[in-house]
Amino acid sequence: MKVVLATSNAGKIREIEEALQDLGWTLSPLGPLPLPEETGATYEENAALKACAAAVMLNAPALADDSGIEIEALGGEPGVYSARYGNRESDMERNVYVLEKLRGEKNRRAKFVSVVILAYPDGHLETYRGELHGTLLEGPRGANGFGYDPLFVPDGDTRTLAEMTVEEKRAVSHRGRALAALREAHRQGLPERETTPIV
Ligand code: ITT
């Protein structure tokens, strides 16, 4: 099956390609097509907006991820607004912003959430969700991954997500879990629907 990756985030593309490699799908980049504005209040709504827009524009199955980090001491912020938290422009600036907001805070608990939606041109949606609980450090560590990875140590580990390889991160991460559920569903022979070639 040919599937469009409805994301402009290079870190997500790397992780999705690695996680789905054994399905034998052809994963194509979105290219210059713009993704819709993320106006939803939930990860599910935003993932559906992105996946459906790509599936309709390209008349092909499309996969989108909407994700974020929820920080306990900040009442669950930034959640669905993680990509633009504090109106900061880059991952590094957003990490600094989070560290400033948490300065002196003892409760460093946080969780990542990922909702992956595979949308078909006929309007059918498959939805998969994964979560990862952990703690935020007082300074960044590691150069891999993206986003808030350098601050986040998953429960049961001592490394940040940015100190892990793509494979190691997938084995524990929110996105890895959502994609594992998708993989399982399709390995068990979920009927594939509209497989119109991408033109
Ligand atoms: P697309 O919409 O093009 O897919 P995006 O980066 O804008 O890319 P989101 O709206 O889903 O995607 O925002 C998710 C943000 O949450 C992302 O930019 C990171 O800041 C953060 N995030 C999500 N998953 C993460 C992960 O695995 N590691 C670190 N940060 C993550």
Side-chain angles (χ1 to χ4, degrees), residues 6-9 12 15 35 38 50 65-69 80 82-84 91 94 112 146-149 161 169 174-175:
T7 174
S8 56
N9 181 317
K12 288 185 186 177
E15 293 181 16
L35 284 171
E38 293 181 26
K50 293 186 273 192
D65 161 289
D66 200 70
S67 44
I69 190 165
V80 292
S82 295
R84 42 191 191 276
D91 283 347
R94 284 186 286 274
F112 274 116
F146 67 97
Y148 303 94
D149 282 348
L161 289 173
K169 180 178 170 185
H174 46 309
R175 185 166 301 101

